[in-house]
Amino acid sequence: LKSFDCITISPILCNIEIKMSNHVLQRIAAVLGSSGVMLGAFGAHALKQTLEERGSLAMWQTACMYQLFHAAALMGMAGENSYVRPMAGKLMSAGTAIFSGSIYFLSLGIGPKAVLGPVTPFGGMLMIAGWILAFFPKIVDQEFSDYQEADQDES
C-alpha cells in the first residue's frame, strides 16, 4: 500500500490534479470535524433564534450531522493500515463541503436558492460515490493504475 497517490479527476473536479496522502486526508478530516462541532454549537446558540425564525434549524442540524459523520469516515480512511484509496477520500471531502456548505448558506438565506438548491444533491452524490469507491478499493485502484500507466506510455 502506498501512502501517497496522485490521480487526475477529469470529469469531477475540472481537470485538477490533487495529491492525497494519509496526512492530507487526516487534516481534511480534522478541519471538517472541528468546524462541524463549531458550526453545530454556533447554530444551537448564537444562530438559534435566526434559524428558528427562518424555519431552517433542522436543515442546519442535518448539515452538521453529515459533516461530522463524513469527518469520522475520512479520519478512518486516513489510518496507516487503511486500504481505501485516495479517490474515495477526495469524493467524500468535496461532497461534504458542497453538501453541508450549500445547506449552511440556504439555512441563513445567503446566496441564490436557484443555484444552491441544485448544488446540494450534487454534493450528496459525491459523498455516495465516495462510499461506493470505499466498498471496492481494489477494483478502483486497479482501474486508476491502468489509466495512469496508459497515460505515462503516451507521454
Side-chain angles (χ1 to χ4, degrees):
L1 172 69
K2 293 185 220 173
S3 64
F4 182 79
D5 208 22
C6 181
I7 298 173
T8 302
I9 312 172
S10 302
I12 299 168
L13 296 176
C14 307
N15 294 321
I16 298 172
E17 189 174 279
I18 301 173
K19 295 179 181 180
M20 185 73 73
S21 68
N22 290 347
H23 299 291
V24 171
L25 197 55
Q26 189 175 37
R27 287 187 177 110
I28 291 169
V31 167
L32 286 173
S34 61
S35 63
V37 171
M38 288 186 274
L39 288 166
F42 196 54
H45 300 289
L47 291 176
K48 185 175 184 180
Q49 183 177 350
T50 302
L51 295 170
E52 285 176 341
E53 288 170 4
R54 296 185 53 76
S56 58
L57 182 59
M59 288 172 57
W60 188 274
Q61 292 168 338
T62 298
C64 290
M65 181 178 63
Y66 275 78
Q67 182 173 341
L68 290 169
F69 287 162
H70 284 83
L74 289 167
M75 188 62 78
M77 286 183 188
E80 291 297 322
N81 296 325
S82 174
Y83 189 72
V84 177
R85 303 306 295 172
M87 181 58 82
K90 291 174 191 176
L91 290 171
M92 280 191 189
S93 299
T96 302
I98 293 168
F99 179 84
S100 293
S102 64
I103 293 176
Y104 291 134
F105 285 120
L106 286 168
S107 296
L108 295 171
I110 299 171
K113 257 186 168 177
V115 173
L116 291 174
V119 165
T120 304
F122 177 71
M125 286 187 278
L126 291 176
M127 290 188 295
I128 292 166
W131 282 107
I132 291 169
L133 291 184
F135 187 78
F136 299 106
K138 291 183 180 182
I139 295 168
V140 173
D141 184 39
Q142 183 60 46
E143 287 179 16
F144 281 110
S145 294
D146 294 345
Y147 173 77
Q148 286 178 332
E149 288 173 13
D151 192 38
Q152 288 175 357
D153 291 342
E154 291 176 10
S155 300

